[in-house]
Amino acid sequence: MADLVYPPVIAAARTMFRVLDNRIRIDGAEHIPRQGGAVIACNHVSYLDFIFCGLGARPAKRLTRFMAKKEIFDNRIAGPLMRGMHHISVDRSAGLASYREALGKLQAGEVVGVFPEATISRSFTVKEIKSGAVRMAAAANVPVVPMALWGTQRLWTKGRPKDLTRRHVPVSILVGEPMHPAKGDDWDIVTKELRTRMSALLDRAQAEYPDRPASDEDRWWLPAHLGGTAPTPAEAAELDRR
């Protein structure tokens, strides 16, 4: 499978982040296999997360194929790029085809990226996650690698204006040790363990983050339990229901 689109897109993104001095920290990239299939399961706080999650796999020289909603592929600008990078379109009304496509890529030795929370977390904590990541990894006999992003919400997140030209925003990408789910496992238990690991990575990313809000108005990007004004998980769930 030729990758004529993906490398230039990565190069353009890296150039933009360098120009804006968005300091990107990647920790734990050694946990991503350098060959063979793997599922990356990442938290979701920004519309840009697929870019940074993909960058997290680059030290291992891997290109990540993301599962993304069909509406992105229908966009006249984003669609050709998504198809050119061989990402996986997910039609939520008919998800079996996308699952089979992702499974095929894993069995062919590709890295597949998923956001098991399904939607952006308004609370900036890890929401309840779906079991698809661990089920897919078990079916393909590949590891699932937890990942956490922090800082990306300051650039563009749900309910806030995007600011893609904001300078000096640090972004943390933390990668955890792989899990090895197997057929016959209790999916509820394994999924809870994955969420626990993702949450621990996110907690560490938040604790080690070099920036703090510059004013009370700037506290919007911190979760409530750290003194921020982001919705609590319960409030965020109510906003999502609306």
Side-chain angles (χ1 to χ4, degrees):
M1 180 168 52
D3 277 298
L4 303 178
V5 176
Y6 215 146
V9 169
I10 292 172
R14 281 177 162 166
T15 298
M16 181 179 75
F17 299 141
R18 261 197 310 272
V19 168
L20 296 175
D21 191 29
N22 292 335
R23 292 155 288 162
I24 299 173
R25 169 201 174 198
I26 302 174
D27 184 84
E30 69 275 8
H31 296 309
I32 296 176
R34 287 187 169 265
Q35 58 185 1
V39 176
I40 294 178
C42 190
N43 73 313
H44 203 7
V45 293
S46 166
Y47 291 108
L48 303 177
D49 285 342
F50 73 97
I51 297 174
F52 291 97
C53 179
L55 288 178
R58 291 306 294 146
K61 302 188 185 304
R62 304 305 301 269
L63 294 175
T64 305
R65 317 299 177 179
F66 286 96
M67 301 186 75
K69 60 185 180 180
K70 177 179 177 292
E71 288 78 2
I72 300 175
F73 288 78
D74 292 338
N75 183 278
R76 64 185 181 86
I77 296 174
L81 290 174
M82 296 294 283
R83 287 186 287 274
M85 290 185 280
H86 307 295
H87 294 316
I88 303 161
S89 174
V90 178
D91 183 346
R92 289 176 179 171
S93 65
L96 184 58
S98 56
Y99 176 85
R100 286 175 174 166
E101 183 180 351
L103 196 59
K105 289 184 184 297
L106 290 170
Q107 291 168 335
E110 296 268 9
V111 174
V112 171
V114 299
F115 298 100
E117 295 167 279
T119 58
I120 288 174
S121 170
R122 299 174 189 261
S123 67
F124 306 141
T125 61
V126 180
K127 299 162 58 174
E128 293 298 321
I129 67 174
K130 299 183 181 297
S131 64
V134 294
R135 289 175 182 266
M136 197 160 52
N141 193 27
V142 302
V144 56
V145 181
M147 181 182 285
L149 304 177
W150 188 243
T152 60
Q153 78 281 9
R154 299 175 67 187
L155 301 173
W156 189 14
T157 192
K158 187 177 286 187
R160 301 286 306 187
K162 65 180 173 181
D163 189 357
L164 303 183
T165 61
R166 186 168 184 174
R167 297 176 58 82
H168 314 303
V169 174
V171 173
S172 300
I173 306 169
L174 273 60
V175 188
E177 295 184 4
M179 298 171 58
H180 297 273
K183 294 176 182 178
D185 282 351
D186 185 316
W187 301 126
D188 287 341
I189 291 174
V190 180
T191 300
K192 285 178 182 176
E193 174 62 19
L194 175 59
R195 181 173 180 264
T196 296
R197 295 191 187 198
M198 291 169 61
S199 295
L201 288 170
L202 180 58
D203 288 345
R204 183 159 71 89
Q206 291 168 341
E208 297 173 354
Y209 194 65
D211 272 9
R212 290 293 178 265
S215 65
D216 282 347
E217 289 184 354
D218 203 33
R219 288 166 52 222
W220 66 266
W221 56 264
L222 272 186
H225 72 275
L226 292 179
T229 56
T232 65
E235 291 167 342
E238 179 59 28
L239 288 170
D240 287 343
R241 277 193 292 271
R242 293 178 189 172

